[in-house]
Amino acid sequence: MPEPSTAAVRSAPTGVIHDIGYQRYKGTRLGRRHVFGALYLHGLRTTFGFGRSVKAKIFPWLVVGIVTLVAVALAAVRSQIGEPVATYAQFADAMSWLVIFFVAVAAPELVSRDLRSGVLPLYFSRPLPRTDYALAKLLALVTALWLLLGGPQLVMFLGAAFTTKEGMGGVWNELLDLLPGLLYAGLWAVVFASIGLLVASLTGKRAFAAGGVVAVFLMTTPIVGVLSILPSRTANELAGLASPSTLVQGVGIWSLGDLLVEGDPGEMTIGGFGPVYALAAVLLVAGATALLLARYRKVAS
Amino acid sequence: MTLIATQSLTKTYGGRVTALTDLTVAVEPGIIGLVGANGAGKSTLIKILLGLIAPTSGQVSVLGIDPTADPTAVRARVGYMPEHDCLPPDLSAAELVTHLGRMSGLPRTAARERASEALRHVGLYEERYRPVGGYSTGMKQRVKLAQALVHDPDLLLLDEPTNGLDPAGRDAMLALVHRIGTEFGISVLVCSHLLGEVERICDTLVAIDGGRLLRADHISAMTSATDVLAVEVSEGTEELAARLAALDLPVARDGRLLLVPLADDGTYDLILGAVAELDLPLHRLDQRRHRVAELFATRELTHA
């Protein structure tokens, strides 16, 4: 659009603008907590493509659709044959590949886009501290992943609760099974979000960020494979530490026991190293978060 | 109240590159032009004022607050328009400015209302619902200005607001900045490397070069000191210089040009009379446009 004509057209109704005039803002100004909340909600909406183009909605909702469909199918089969096909935790494990792809799309959407467009100076010239920006984005991704796994778990629970033949006692037992499952989904969410967001925050190019996230999660799997066929039993039992997915599963086996490995205990053994897995998971999340905050202390200053 | 005050402000990057050296300046509210060549330290100064980077040494205060000690309080009352492209192309101007209003602490409805107000004030109407990616450079600059205005700051820091605009766009942007400074009651600091541009709209001019303060003064004091007539004749330059000197005009030589300080309109008459009497072919007689280099030259002269 040629600028002169725009300027000419726009400056024509100057009288109107002058009549209304500029109004100083006398209303409330919210504090840090509210701004953090607004950014968090904005981030959560972004991960699912709300307030964004149709194109940005396709992938997140495809993943949501698949996991929900699987949950519905599991609930349906269960109501027919009368016994659970998979526990809540096993469901989370089975969906881990989809979670990885969801992170690979959502994390760059949350942070790489802002790096690319250079919008960060507009955030950081406002009262919002840099750490709040990073933490709000991280919390948004954690919530999104937890909803992604927890939502379908809730579907499975509802399916089981409505078809149980043991009355309220059956529902109560089912709820006791669901709660650890939701906690386990939370563990998946925290570990995958902290690593995924850190990787994505390193580049403004969304394709690179997505590739990087997938690479970090998938390229580490062969290491686990190699370690788990070594002739040393200790190496086999610690092999899961090498990849985020198996690390989470290790913590799950340690803390949830038969809720996770019911039926096929042979696939992955952690021996007596359960606490090591738990400690490693905590350190991994803490380390990734610290690096993320360090990254945002430097960027765009 | 002093709007911005710095005391011996120095900033060096990594101990080698010096961006600001011993800068001491104090300005009153109004429209302030910050002029300097590229790399003079304008953007560094703005970032220090915002508390985005810490000065190596020296003190600074913005609206009576020290941005190194309480950057949050300063940023709550300041609006910043960066020099570079900073708009996500897939958001509409309305969405972006509303979101950034919320980031400044406005409640949801207030943010939406003030966003459309701000966009209307900068001259964006129906197009504010289209993605920013399709905007012209002029419209993008307006969106950048609107997001700096949305939370009703007391001071606007505008880093090269006319960058990339055509002459008409420049005029429109300068008129807008002038209106914000005069009608909206918001103080404005405008950065530019073009003195001729900012001198038209600002009350106070701060000129920096190589990180050092050249001059900081009220615009009237500055222009009266620097207004100069340039006279060029095809021949007889020496004779004309002698004649003008005889008329008590302080003449300076600059190559083929004679520079005469412009006292009032009578100066024109005196020069034209002298040229006519000597019957010299007058090539040109015009008022010099100010450039940062001239401010520098004037300073050298006065200190010599």
Side-chain angles (χ1 to χ4, degrees):
Chain A
M1 185 182 289
E3 198 49 37
S5 69
T6 319
V9 171
R10 293 310 164 219
S11 58
T14 310
V16 181
I17 291 173
H18 190 257
D19 285 344
I20 301 167
Y22 180 79
Q23 304 286 318
R24 298 304 304 240
Y25 179 70
K26 297 277 194 292
T28 44
R29 289 176 194 266
L30 302 172
R32 178 176 172 182
R33 212 159 43 85
H34 288 93
V35 174
F36 184 90
L39 186 58
Y40 163 74
L41 275 180
H42 182 261
L44 187 55
R45 286 166 53 85
T46 305
T47 53
F48 288 104
F50 287 118
R52 310 257 301 103
S53 65
V54 178
K55 228 171 66 184
K57 290 187 181 72
I58 296 174
F59 191 84
W61 287 100
L62 189 71
V63 175
V64 170
I66 293 173
V67 292
T68 313
L69 212 64
V70 171
V72 169
L74 287 174
V77 170
R78 181 180 174 173
S79 71
Q80 291 302 311
I81 64 173
E83 58 182 82
V85 186
T87 67
Y88 296 105
Q90 283 170 339
F91 170 79
D93 268 3
M95 293 299 119
S96 64
W97 297 91
L98 282 168
V99 175
I100 290 172
F101 285 113
F102 189 86
V103 172
V105 172
E109 195 71 29
L110 280 171
V111 289
S112 303
R113 214 159 54 92
D114 284 358
L115 285 168
R116 173 97 174 162
S117 61
V119 77
L120 287 177
L122 301 187
Y123 280 100
F124 297 154
S125 62
R126 292 183 147 74
L128 171 91
R130 284 159 178 258
T131 49
D132 280 17
Y133 173 87
L135 288 178
K137 297 276 182 182
L138 179 60
L139 208 57
L141 188 57
V142 170
T143 313
L145 296 183
W146 187 71
L147 288 176
L148 185 70
L149 290 173
Q153 286 181 339
L154 196 66
V155 170
M156 289 166 66
F157 167 74
L158 291 177
F162 279 112
T163 56
T164 182
K165 296 178 179 67
E166 297 155 40
M168 280 317 284
V171 174
W172 178 248
N173 282 336
E174 198 60 39
L175 188 66
L176 290 182
D177 282 351
L178 171 68
L179 292 180
L182 286 176
L183 282 178
Y184 186 56
L187 180 65
W188 273 106
V190 172
V191 170
F192 277 56
S194 55
I195 297 172
L197 208 65
L198 173 65
V199 174
S201 75
L202 297 178
T203 172
K205 293 197 166 62
R206 255 187 286 180
F208 285 0
V213 171
V214 172
V216 165
F217 288 126
L218 299 194
M219 302 293 264
T220 47
T221 316
I223 304 174
V224 177
V226 169
L227 287 176
S228 60
I229 55 166
L230 284 180
S232 155
R233 189 181 154 88
T234 312
N236 297 349
E237 288 175 349
L238 286 174
L241 292 173
S243 170
S245 318
T246 46
L247 174 64
V248 171
Q249 284 168 359
V251 177
I253 292 170
W254 173 62
S255 58
L256 301 178
D258 62 343
L259 279 177
L260 192 63
V261 285
E262 191 181 28
D264 56 341
E267 197 172 288
M268 184 175 164
T269 49
I270 57 163
F273 291 110
V276 177
Y277 274 80
L279 185 67
V282 170
L283 287 179
L284 184 65
V285 170
T289 309
L291 285 175
L292 183 72
L293 295 183
R295 163 77 176 144
Y296 276 96
R297 255 194 296 282
K298 285 282 170 208
V299 75
S301 66
Chain B
M1 190 196 77
T2 311
L3 185 70
I4 298 167
T6 69
Q7 182 69 45
S8 311
L9 199 64
T10 300
K11 174 70 190 175
T12 52
Y13 289 105
R16 293 229 190 89
V17 186
T18 304
L20 290 175
T21 310
D22 200 23
L23 189 77
T24 301
V25 67
V27 290
E28 299 298 311
I31 305 180
I32 301 110
L34 178 62
V35 200
N38 292 331
K42 303 189 295 286
S43 296
T44 300
L45 178 59
I46 284 197
K47 282 174 183 168
I48 291 176
L49 295 180
L50 278 168
L52 290 177
I53 54 178
T56 312
S57 66
Q59 279 90 49
V60 58
S61 113
V62 179
L63 299 161
I65 311 163
D66 182 353
T68 56
D70 195 356
T72 311
V74 172
R75 290 183 208 146
R77 294 179 59 193
V78 171
Y80 170 51
M81 172 177 172
E83 177 182 4
H84 300 290
D85 208 8
C86 57
L87 305 173
D90 49 353
L91 285 183
S92 75
E95 285 172 308
L96 177 71
V97 177
T98 305
H99 175 60
L100 289 170
R102 297 210 67 195
M103 292 301 102
S104 284
L106 300 184
R108 190 190 304 268
T109 34
R112 202 175 299 131
E113 281 167 16
R114 283 210 54 94
S116 52
E117 282 285 286
L119 286 165
R120 186 170 58 78
H121 281 298
V122 300
L124 285 173
Y125 300 85
E126 293 313 313
E127 53 272 52
R128 68 173 185 262
Y129 300 112
R130 285 198 279 117
V132 173
Y135 286 13
S136 68
T137 310
M139 286 158 75
K140 281 182 185 164
Q141 291 295 85
R142 284 160 192 263
V143 177
K144 281 160 70 176
L145 183 57
Q147 66 79 27
L149 263 179
V150 66
H151 55 293
D152 187 30
D154 295 318
L155 168 66
L156 275 183
L157 301 176
L158 311 180
D159 201 345
E160 305 271 0
T162 55
N163 228 3
L165 299 181
D166 58 23
R170 277 167 190 269
D171 287 346
M173 176 58 75
L174 290 172
L176 193 55
V177 172
H178 186 249
R179 209 158 65 82
I180 291 170
T182 51
E183 288 174 32
F184 295 12
I186 298 173
S187 288
V188 189
L189 178 83
V190 196
C191 262
S192 181
H193 56 273
L194 297 168
L195 175 58
E197 204 165 70
V198 289
E199 70 173 1
R200 281 156 47 194
I201 57 164
C202 59
D203 316 316
T204 311
L205 206 53
V206 177
I208 56 175
D209 185 62
R212 290 172 193 279
L213 181 71
L214 290 184
R215 291 186 68 176
D217 213 336
H218 208 258
I219 191 80
S220 55
M222 190 119 37
T223 45
S224 63
T226 57
D227 267 10
V228 163
L229 285 179
V231 192
E232 188 180 353
V233 285
S234 303
E235 57 190 59
T237 310
E238 296 297 333
E239 295 165 50
L240 181 62
R243 173 62 66 98
L244 290 177
L247 289 168
D248 284 339
L249 290 174
V251 185
R253 291 289 300 267
D254 178 16
R256 294 165 52 86
L257 292 175
L258 291 177
L259 300 179
V260 184
L262 177 62
D264 51 51
D265 283 348
T267 315
Y268 281 101
D269 297 336
L270 286 174
I271 294 172
L272 287 175
V275 172
E277 275 176 46
L278 292 170
D279 199 19
L280 296 173
L282 182 63
H283 199 66
R284 72 173 168 142
L285 170 63
D286 57 13
Q287 195 177 335
R288 268 238 168 148
R289 297 309 304 169
H290 310 293
R291 278 175 289 118
V292 180
E294 279 170 51
L295 286 176
F296 191 57
T298 315
R299 183 169 171 268
E300 298 276 275
L301 217 64
T302 49
H303 283 247

